[in-house]
Amino acid sequence: MKIKLVHAHFLISIGDYSNERIGFTVELEEGETIESVVTALRSEARKAVGPKADELYEARSILQKQCYALEKKINEVRSEWDATAEFLRTQGIKPDAPPMPQFSNLLAAVKVDEESVAQAEIVDGF
C-alpha cells in the first residue's frame, strides 16, 4: 500500500475553553514519512493560530516540568518515610507505623458513555 495524501486536522486550545480547528491536506513527496509530515503540519497549525497557542503550549511545558519535579520529590519523601516506618517497626518503637499513603488516582476516572467520529471534506467554490 502506498499512501499519497495525508489529511491532518488539529484542534488547538486558545484559552478560556476556546479552540481553533486547523486542517491540511498534503501530498507526500518521495522519502517523506507520515510521522515527519504530521509533525511539520502540527508546527504549521500552531503558527497559523498565532502567539496565543504558543503561550499555552509553553505554559503546558512549564507545568509538565513542574509536575515531574514534584513527583520526583514525592518519591524521595516516600522512600524516606517508608525507611523511617520500617525502622520504627523493627525497633518496636511503633509497631503499627504505616507506609506513606499513595497520592495518585484519587479522582475516579471519567467514563465515556458514547463516542462518535465524523468526517467531512470542504471543497472551495460552493
Side-chain angles (χ1 to χ4, degrees), residues 108-114:
V110 175
K111 294 182 181 176
V112 177
D113 293 328
E114 185 178 321

Side-chain angles (χ1 to χ4, degrees), residues 33-47:
T33 65
I34 294 172
E35 293 80 9
S36 66
V37 169
V38 171
T39 299
L41 292 176
R42 183 176 290 115
S43 176
E44 290 298 318
R46 285 178 51 193
K47 281 189 229 174

Side-chain angles (χ1 to χ4, degrees), residues 74-119:
I74 286 173
N75 288 334
E76 290 170 1
V77 169
R78 176 172 283 113
S79 177
E80 292 173 11
W81 175 302
D82 290 343
T84 302
E86 179 63 26
F87 173 80
L88 294 173
R89 284 191 296 270
T90 303
Q91 297 300 314
I93 298 170
K94 186 161 178 64
D96 59 344
M100 186 171 173
Q102 296 292 325
F103 297 110
S104 61
N105 299 324
L106 298 177
L107 298 176
V110 175
K111 294 182 181 176
V112 177
D113 293 328
E114 185 178 321
E115 187 175 299
S116 66
V117 176
Q119 292 183 342

